Amino acid sequence: MTETANIIWADGPAGSPYEPDKSKIRQWGTWVESLLGAVGVNSGTIFATYAQLQSSLSYPANTMAWVNQDPVASNNGIYRKIGSSGSGSWVKTGDLPYSFITANDAGAGTPNAIQATSDLPINSSALIILRAFEANPGSPVTVSFNGGSVLTIKTASGADIPPGGIVADMDMLGRQVGSTFRLVSDIASAAIQAACEAAAAAAADSAAEAAGWAALARNDVVPNTFAGDGATTVFNLSVNPGTEANALVTIYGHKQDLTAYTISGTTLTFSAPPPGNGADHNIEVRMGYRIGVNVPAALSVGSAAIKTSEAAGIRTAIDVPSNASMTAAIAAALANSVSGLQMANNATDAANDIDVAAGTILSADGTTMISLPAAVTKQLDATWVAGSGNGGRFDASIADGTWHVFAIGNGTNNYVGFSQSLVPTAAPNYPAGYKYKRIGSVLRVSGSNRAFTQYGTGRERIYALRTPVQNYSVVTSQGSSAVNRDVTVPLGIKVMANLLVRLGNDPASGDLLRIFSFDDLDAAVTGANATHDVAASGRALESIEVFTNTAGQVKSRQNIGGSANYLSITTSGWKEFI
């Protein structure tokens, strides 16, 4: 360990100065030189941009460097060299050590979209002092620093800046937090004080007016007095008496004729200016009215009080179900009601677009009526955007399979969209606050929607595939046990599949076949329950309807399973109830 300079050059006792050892001096000097050399090698450097930094690798390991002018704010910071000179890379270890950064709004943007500039790059570790150029007329307010990302200005409590919350030359102190510029305080106290004072004044006015109206309601008289000056003709009353007849106006105690003044709301206008010195309250207005309304007591009106010509109409109006039963009947009718909303492949882009006709349907939760006033076209190959001809996919990405079609509405706006989920509200592109109801499904295979024709515009809907799909061409030796059969229908729901079934057998004996639902009893095939019966050396081709499970499957079962027996199944469409 090298001795320190204090020890090497010690003073020694008085009259006998200490003579330093030259070898220790050389050892100490060598240590200082090596330290300075190490600091010089690794003392670091400054680059303007991140690209310039990464292209300069001729620095030893652990060298420090700063990037302080890169247009991408997150690229600015302190970096450490990884690897030996000429290789490796630079790794960011922290933000630039600026405690405060000043930024200026020179008016390049708009009052609600501020464009600010700063000499130093903005980062989330530094406090930023931003001087506003002008007041904001609207809300929310955004800011971008040095052409960077747009940040929404939020108060310390996370609220948007209200209109007028920013004034010209106001200094705002905050920092970048994610996609926001979060202030360290709420809006200016002056704005809060002004709002409070305005609210207090309005409350006082309302209280005075309420007191006047309360007096009128109690049939009390509300007096007002004014000072005539021989010139003024218009005076403001504390309450609205309704008409001139509900106000008693006197001047120096003399009642004024109704033709001498008019009253409109709370404005009293004389036809000629009342006399007076402008100080003494010589005009008195006494207001008060209460019009009695004779309300018959409950169950007190008899037939003699009813006008004969109106009796039939009154009886008809009374002879209806109670409100509760009417409401229940209407709700039940609406829950089972659907009109229109017929689907079809779009003629221009049949592979991706679906047309939906105008129509009405009740939302799945029974709270919102969804009504399309006109036909719309939505694109399955684009994310959802409101309006006809735009994207319609709620899901993040497109894929082959079943796509359910939904009518959606929020009580004001109504649209159409697609999802592979039966509950689309969790999909990333589903608009918030909208109710939904599935109106059908389309099938997509090899990146293209299958062509179909829909029949029926009520709850029962029939879909015919324009090109039927042969699911099984020749199935032999299936045995006599039940077998699950996949057919081409929507998944996730039960539908009634329309199937073309062809059955053949060997020459030795007849063959019985049963196509049935998963909900039916699985039993051996007999003549009593068979759907197909083929004599020896015969063939049968029939069209049947059978319900699928949610996986798009039916069951088949034969009475024999000889090697020459065969079965083919083709899906021509399906029927469902929405």
Side-chain angles (χ1 to χ4, degrees), residues 410-466:
N410 64 358
T412 302
N413 300 314
N414 303 285
Y415 304 111
V416 170
F418 313 103
S419 176
Q420 289 196 299
S421 170
L422 287 168
V423 181
T425 52
N429 300 308
Y430 190 88
Y434 278 74
K435 305 292 185 176
Y436 68 89
K437 179 69 174 181
R438 193 184 71 87
I439 60 174
S441 303
V442 295
L443 303 180
R444 189 173 181 85
V445 60
S446 300
S448 179
N449 298 339
R450 284 193 184 277
F452 67 92
T453 301
Q454 178 189 329
Y455 301 95
T457 58
R459 292 191 65 230
E460 180 179 337
R461 303 195 162 206
I462 300 173
Y463 299 88
L465 295 175
R466 294 185 185 175

Side-chain angles (χ1 to χ4, degrees), residues 59-443:
Y59 292 87
N62 298 320
T63 299
M64 178 182 67
W66 287 17
V67 175
N68 67 345
Q69 296 182 25
D70 197 280
V72 179
S74 60
N75 285 345
N76 294 294
I78 301 173
Y79 289 81
R80 181 167 66 91
K81 177 66 166 47
I82 303 297
S84 59
S85 176
S87 64
S89 63
W90 295 91
V91 176
K92 186 175 181 180
T93 59
D95 294 323
L96 295 176
Y98 302 135
S99 299
F100 291 92
I101 299 175
T102 59
N104 185 50
D105 170 17
T110 66
N112 287 334
I114 300 171
Q115 295 181 14
T117 57
S118 64
D119 293 333
L120 299 174
I122 301 298
N123 63 70
S124 59
S125 300
L127 286 172
I128 303 166
I129 302 175
L130 170 62
R131 172 154 292 188
F133 178 74
E134 55 192 330
N136 65 304
S139 179
V141 183
T142 64
V143 62
S144 63
F145 295 98
N146 305 316
S149 301
V150 175
L151 309 175
T152 302
I153 300 179
K154 297 283 189 178
T155 67
S157 57
D160 287 330
I161 303 298
I166 297 175
V167 298
D169 296 326
M170 168 182 172
D171 283 332
M172 294 176 281
L173 180 63
R175 68 185 188 91
Q176 180 180 348
V177 180
S179 60
T180 67
F181 179 58
R182 182 66 68 95
L183 303 181
V184 298
S185 65
D186 284 312
I187 59 175
S189 58
I192 297 176
Q193 180 180 350
C196 292
E197 291 173 350
D205 292 343
S206 297
E209 183 176 359
W213 284 110
L216 287 178
R218 293 193 305 269
N219 200 21
D220 289 346
V221 173
V222 179
N224 283 185
T225 59
F226 306 97
D229 59 3
T232 303
T233 59
V234 179
F235 301 87
N236 293 321
L237 304 173
S238 63
V239 295
N240 178 4
T243 67
E244 289 83 358
N246 291 325
L248 175 63
V249 180
T250 61
I251 300 177
Y252 289 120
H254 298 287
K255 179 182 180 299
Q256 301 299 300
D257 190 85
L258 292 178
T259 60
Y261 59 88
T262 61
I263 295 177
S264 176
T266 57
T267 302
L268 168 64
T269 304
F270 288 94
S271 57
N277 58 13
D280 297 328
H281 283 222
N282 61 331
I283 304 171
E284 184 178 42
V285 182
R286 298 174 64 83
M287 299 166 287
Y289 70 92
R290 186 176 184 178
I291 301 175
V293 178
N294 183 21
V295 179
L299 304 178
S300 66
V301 178
S303 58
I306 300 176
K307 187 177 179 182
T308 303
S309 61
E310 302 295 331
I314 294 173
R315 282 195 298 270
T316 300
I318 294 174
D319 189 20
V320 296
S322 67
N323 287 341
S325 60
M326 255 179 108
T327 301
I330 292 172
L334 289 174
N336 296 300
S337 173
V338 57
S339 173
L341 303 174
Q342 190 170 11
M343 303 189 310
N345 299 99
N346 178 260
T348 302
D349 188 359
N352 298 296
D353 296 356
I354 297 295
D355 297 334
V356 178
T360 303
I361 194 170
L362 188 67
S363 63
D365 64 359
T367 63
T368 304
M369 186 60 70
I370 303 171
S371 179
L372 291 182
V376 298
T377 299
K378 300 300 286 184
Q379 303 170 342
L380 182 56
D381 57 341
T383 55
W384 189 87
V385 177
S388 180
N390 296 327
R393 191 180 71 249
F394 298 135
D395 296 3
S397 60
I398 193 169
D400 287 349
T402 300
W403 285 90
H404 303 293
V405 185
F406 296 91
I408 63 172
N410 64 358
T412 302
N413 300 314
N414 303 285
Y415 304 111
V416 170
F418 313 103
S419 176
Q420 289 196 299
S421 170
L422 287 168
V423 181
T425 52
N429 300 308
Y430 190 88
Y434 278 74
K435 305 292 185 176
Y436 68 89
K437 179 69 174 181
R438 193 184 71 87
I439 60 174
S441 303
V442 295
L443 303 180

Side-chain angles (χ1 to χ4, degrees), residues 495-510:
V495 300
M496 181 175 284
N498 295 321
L499 306 177
L500 296 173
V501 180
R502 186 184 182 104
L503 178 67
N505 62 10
D506 59 25
S509 61

Side-chain angles (χ1 to χ4, degrees), residues 514-556:
R514 183 181 177 213
I515 303 290
F516 60 102
S517 167
F518 278 70
D519 297 325
D520 296 337
L521 180 64
D522 184 1
V525 184
T526 65
N529 63 15
T531 55
H532 296 73
D533 184 355
V534 182
S537 302
R539 294 181 179 180
L541 177 63
E542 294 187 40
S543 175
I544 67 169
E545 292 183 336
V546 60
F547 275 106
T548 68
N549 61 7
T550 57
Q553 295 176 319
V554 298
K555 287 181 177 287
S556 73

